[in-house]
Amino acid sequence: MRKKIVAGNWKMNLNLQEGLALANELKAALAADKPNCDVVICTPFIHLAKVADVVAGTVIGLGAENCADKEKGAFTGEVSAAQVKSTGAQYVILGHSERRAYYGETAEILKEKVNLALANGLKVIFCIGEVLEEREAGKQNEVVGSQLADSLFDLTEEQLANIILAYEPVWAIGTGKTATAEQAEDMHAFIRGVIAGRFGEAAAESISILYGGSCKPSNAKEIFSKPDVDGGLIGGAALKCADFKGIIDAWK
Ligand code: PGA
C-alpha cells in the first residue's frame, strides 16, 4: 500500500518565531487528533534545526524546500543535502516550479540535487507540472513526461523508493485556480504509467503522487478521493494550522 501524505511548503514565509509557533500549534492539534496520513512540513533552512526539536517524537516529518547541487565547499550562501540532513530533517522538496522558473534550475541541475539528497539519506519530494500555455496547447503530458525522464530516469528502482512525486500545474499554484479532480486524476494516472514504463508496475504502484496547487480544506477531499492521488503538497494553506489540519482531515 502506498503512503498517503500531506506536506506543507512554507516557501519564504514566517520568521523563526512565527515558524516555531506554527509548528507547536500543529504538533498540539495532531496530538489531540491523530492524522490518518503522513504529515510533513517543509520550512526555510533557518527554521529546520529548531523545528526539528519541536517535532521530534511526533508524527510530523520535516523537510527543506531546496538543497545545493554541489556536495560541499566554496559555494557561498548554498546549503548542502548533508547540512539539511544534519538538522534532523528527513525530506527535501526539489524541482519546485518556482525554483525552475526564478532560479534557472534545469533538469541537469535537478538530477545532481536528487542524487545528492538521496546519497545523504533524504527523501525527495520531486515537483513536476506544466505552465498554462503548455496545457492550453495540450502538451501537459509531454512536458511532465520529459521532466520525469530528464531528472529521474537514471535512478535505480531502489533509489526511486525514496522519491515522492508532486504534480503541481503551475497555473494552479498560488492562483486560487485548482485543477479539477478529474484533471488531477488524468495526470496522476499518466505519471504512474510513465513510472511503470521505466521502473515497472510494482514501483509505479508504490510511489506516492501528491497534487499541489491551491489545495484547501474545501477541495482536498474531492481531489484526494481520486485513485491515483495520494495526498497534497500545500503552499498557502499550510501557513495556518486550521487550514492545514483541515486538509489533513480530508483523509478521514
Ligand atoms: P499553493 O502552493 O498551495 O499556495 O498553490 C503549492 C506549492 O507551490 O507547493
Side-chain angles (χ1 to χ4, degrees), residues 1-248:
M1 268 306 287
R2 56 185 177 253
K3 285 193 161 154
K4 297 178 282 188
I5 303 166
V6 173
N9 173 12
W10 289 1
K11 307 194 180 182
M12 199 171 72
N13 296 296
L14 308 177
N15 66 28
L16 180 58
Q17 290 71 29
E18 292 164 342
L20 287 168
L22 177 57
N24 273 302
E25 202 184 345
L26 185 65
K27 174 180 166 173
L30 296 182
D33 183 18
K34 276 194 113 202
N36 215 2
C37 62
D38 285 8
V39 175
V40 180
I41 50 179
C42 298
T43 80
F45 293 127
I46 63 143
H47 295 62
L48 288 173
K50 285 207 162 189
V51 172
D53 288 341
V54 172
V55 301
T58 74
V59 295
I60 305 169
L62 178 65
E65 301 170 13
N66 182 28
C67 70
D69 62 341
K70 304 287 193 299
E71 200 176 337
K72 64 186 284 196
F75 302 101
T76 302
E78 288 292 299
V79 176
S80 72
Q83 289 172 324
V84 168
K85 177 74 178 177
S86 74
T87 66
Q90 310 93 32
Y91 297 83
V92 60
I93 296 173
L94 293 175
H96 192 282
S97 63
E98 288 150 18
R99 300 293 320 169
R100 294 179 192 259
Y102 309 148
Y103 300 95
E105 294 195 2
T106 62
E108 275 307 307
I109 291 172
L110 291 172
K111 228 168 123 168
E112 295 300 324
K113 292 189 178 201
V114 168
N115 282 328
L116 285 164
L118 294 175
N120 283 282
L122 293 168
K123 291 186 198 303
V124 174
I125 301 174
F126 191 79
C127 304
I128 48 191
E130 80 286 356
V131 300
L132 186 60
E133 301 81 74
E134 291 162 342
R135 176 158 284 263
E136 284 175 346
K139 289 190 172 153
Q140 65 272 21
N141 289 8
E142 196 184 307
V143 169
V144 168
S146 301
Q147 289 171 336
L148 290 168
D150 295 348
S151 295
L152 303 183
F153 272 21
D154 287 346
L155 297 179
T156 63
E157 210 178 305
E158 217 172 27
Q159 287 177 306
L160 189 79
N162 287 312
I163 304 277
I164 295 155
L165 296 174
Y167 169 58
E168 301 203 304
V170 180
W171 46 272
I173 296 178
T175 58
K177 265 195 222 167
T178 321
T180 64
E182 288 69 32
Q183 283 172 323
E185 172 57 22
D186 283 353
M187 180 56 86
H188 284 223
F190 168 74
I191 291 168
R192 211 175 291 288
V194 171
I195 296 297
R198 163 62 185 85
F199 296 96
E201 282 298 334
E205 272 311 306
S206 56
I207 195 165
S208 296
I209 309 177
L210 315 183
Y211 168 80
S214 299
C215 196
K216 34 188 188 269
S218 59
N219 59 26
K221 210 173 180 89
E222 192 190 348
I223 297 171
F224 295 177
S225 72
K226 295 295 177 186
D228 286 295
V229 178
D230 305 308
L233 180 57
I234 317 302
L239 297 173
K240 286 213 178 88
C241 183
D243 289 348
F244 194 53
K245 172 75 165 45
I247 295 171
I248 292 165

